[in-house]
Amino acid sequence: MFGFLKKKDGEEKKQAGSGKGQQASVYEAKMDLAGLSQAYYEMGKEYEEKGDLSRSRLYLERACTLYSNFDQVYDACQSFMDDCDERIGDLEEADILTNEVLWQVEERAEELTNAQKYLWGMMSLARFQVIFQHLADCENCRILGELSRVLDLLYRTVGQKSVQEDLDYSLSFITRFYDFCDSEDFVNTRNQVELDQGTTLQLFDLNGNSTVTCLHLFVDKFISVLQAGFETVEENEEAEVDFIPCTLMADYYLRNFEEDLRQIPQVQAELERIWSDYEFVRDGASVADVIHRIEKYRRMDILR
């Protein structure tokens, strides 16, 4: 369907500067995380110099994740960490698609009740089920396959009496998931799958735009609301709407395609879903209507 997209052929096109790209590949193969962090930092700088701010952010954020999550990497990367953090901070204010969508989501969320924000987020969460299923068979990634059960438990308790056993399991999942995303398995680029369209999906692609952090916060707050009863939602934890734009899966597309994100049909389709979901809840969709849409999303591969 989207065969006209120009896929990147080989690492030399995928990464800024053949030298830096090859260097990163060597460090990836050896799981030399300190060397890889610096290589990603250098690649991020090169992309920034070329004016490709989205791909610059991709690699600077990967560098930051590596030195932030692992003590031995932190100690080895003192020379460039401050500059990397500063560059990321600047890019968070840049005129790039992911920032624009986040700002728009935050603005439009102000028009919604807290219950509507949670329902909007639930529909976004559902679209991660197939993505997680793709990755669940990677080495030590079985936890990703549990998202399906968590979704079952969460939306079953919306508008109903919570079952403590269900909530305990959901809380256990999100705690273990957060710990998993601090592990070497998460940053191991060999944890990837080849998709039908000839592209690769890496577990590390979930790093972009703080996807795993925002997902954790959304589900953790949602569980807190459900423990008190969904009827308390307006006086309870405010929904983490920053999670909603993460369904764009920017890192995956930036690695696999040459186009600007705005030109990629799958990204355009996902943008339409985000705003359609917003209008759906804003206009008063019932919980039953939202669950019906969620069931459709849980079977949808948004990367195709």
Side-chain angles (χ1 to χ4, degrees), residues 39-76:
Y40 283 155
Y41 163 70
E42 297 293 344
M43 290 163 60
K45 287 199 304 181
E46 287 193 19
Y47 273 122
E48 187 173 12
E49 291 167 2
K50 293 179 179 181
D52 190 340
L53 301 185
S54 292
R55 289 181 176 83
S56 173
R57 185 174 181 177
L58 185 164
Y59 289 107
L60 291 174
E61 286 187 338
R62 287 193 171 198
C64 178
T65 294
L66 290 169
Y67 63 66
S68 298
N69 286 9
F70 305 101
D71 291 342
Q72 73 276 21
V73 182
Y74 182 90
D75 293 339

Side-chain angles (χ1 to χ4, degrees), residues 88-181:
I88 292 172
D90 291 341
L91 289 171
E92 289 174 351
E93 304 300 322
D95 182 20
I96 57 179
L97 178 64
T98 48
N99 287 341
E100 292 172 8
V101 177
L102 174 59
W103 299 332
Q104 291 168 8
V105 165
E106 291 174 339
E107 181 180 2
R108 296 186 191 188
E110 294 178 2
E111 304 172 12
L112 303 177
T113 66
N114 203 27
Q116 289 172 327
K117 293 175 190 176
Y118 273 107
L119 295 177
W120 190 12
M122 279 187 68
M123 290 184 282
S124 299
L125 182 64
R127 297 199 291 278
F128 273 98
Q129 178 168 320
V130 171
I131 291 173
F132 276 28
Q133 286 172 344
H134 283 314
L135 294 165
D137 289 335
C138 293
E139 185 176 2
N140 299 323
C141 296
R142 187 176 301 175
I143 186 175
L144 300 179
E146 296 183 41
L147 181 63
S148 174
R149 180 180 174 188
V150 172
L151 280 165
D152 284 340
L153 302 181
L154 290 180
Y155 78 65
R156 191 165 70 204
T157 58
V158 173
Q160 303 176 22
K161 184 175 176 59
S162 302
V163 178
Q164 191 59 45
E165 183 180 355
D166 290 348
L167 296 176
D168 289 346
Y169 175 82
S170 300
L171 187 60
S172 168
F173 165 79
I174 203 60
T175 302
R176 289 181 289 114
F177 174 74
Y178 191 75
D179 291 341
F180 167 73
C181 293

Side-chain angles (χ1 to χ4, degrees), residues 23-34:
Q23 192 175 52
S25 296
V26 170
Y27 291 134
E28 287 172 341
K30 297 191 300 182
M31 282 294 286
D32 179 348
L33 300 185

